[in-house]
Amino acid sequence: MITADFCILPMGIESSEIGEYVAEAVEVIKASGIKYELTAMGTQMETESLEELYKVVQDTQEAIFKMGPGRVYSVLKVDDRRDRENRTLDAKVKTVEDLMENKK
């Protein structure tokens, strides 16, 4: 399972408000069919392949460019773990929560 954290920022726009760009990016991610979670600082995604992940990132960048900015800055963090099965976003969070609970 591949998990990723993705943040995309339009550059050179007049306003510091980017909510409409984030909404467009999330719509593209949602349309791809992959599992995702929107957070306050980015969007986390799960995929089975790097190709699928990179395609979603490419499609998202193109959608933002179509909205008018001349530059798009993206940050992509990828965790491609192959030594264990089912390392989903939820499983990673549960591991930490279990460790915290065991310390009590």
Side-chain angles (χ1 to χ4, degrees), residues 22-60:
V22 173
E24 180 65 22
V26 173
E27 285 294 332
V28 172
I29 294 166
K30 182 179 180 179
S32 76
I34 67 171
K35 182 176 179 189
Y36 72 94
E37 293 179 20
L38 176 63
T39 73
M41 300 295 291
T43 303
Q44 297 177 343
M45 300 180 281
E46 293 178 0
T47 71
E48 293 295 331
S49 71
L50 288 171
E51 293 82 8
E52 182 178 44
L53 175 64
Y54 295 147
K55 175 74 170 120
V56 172
V57 170
Q58 178 182 9
D59 291 349
T60 303

Side-chain angles (χ1 to χ4, degrees):
M1 175 64 61
I2 297 168
T3 56
D5 187 67
F6 181 52
C7 178
I8 190 164
L9 302 164
M11 305 289 289
I13 60 175
E14 291 186 26
S15 172
S16 62
E17 179 59 48
I18 62 168
E20 67 183 287
Y21 296 93
V22 173
E24 180 65 22
V26 173
E27 285 294 332
V28 172
I29 294 166
K30 182 179 180 179
S32 76
I34 67 171
K35 182 176 179 189
Y36 72 94
E37 293 179 20
L38 176 63
T39 73
M41 300 295 291
T43 303
Q44 297 177 343
M45 300 180 281
E46 293 178 0
T47 71
E48 293 295 331
S49 71
L50 288 171
E51 293 82 8
E52 182 178 44
L53 175 64
Y54 295 147
K55 175 74 170 120
V56 172
V57 170
Q58 178 182 9
D59 291 349
T60 303
Q61 286 203 179
E62 290 303 321
I64 300 304
F65 274 119
K66 287 179 183 174
M67 294 178 75
R71 184 176 182 184
V72 174
Y73 180 81
S74 296
V75 177
L76 178 64
K77 295 186 289 184
V78 178
D79 184 357
D80 184 359
R81 186 163 186 181
R82 299 179 183 182
D83 63 335
R84 293 189 62 193
E85 294 290 321
N86 297 322
R87 295 308 298 162
T88 63
L89 295 170
D90 292 337
K92 290 178 179 188
V93 171
K94 184 169 179 358
T95 297
V96 174
E97 288 173 342
D98 289 348
L99 289 168
M100 291 169 58
E101 184 63 31
N102 290 335
K103 283 190 165 190
K104 292 182 180 179

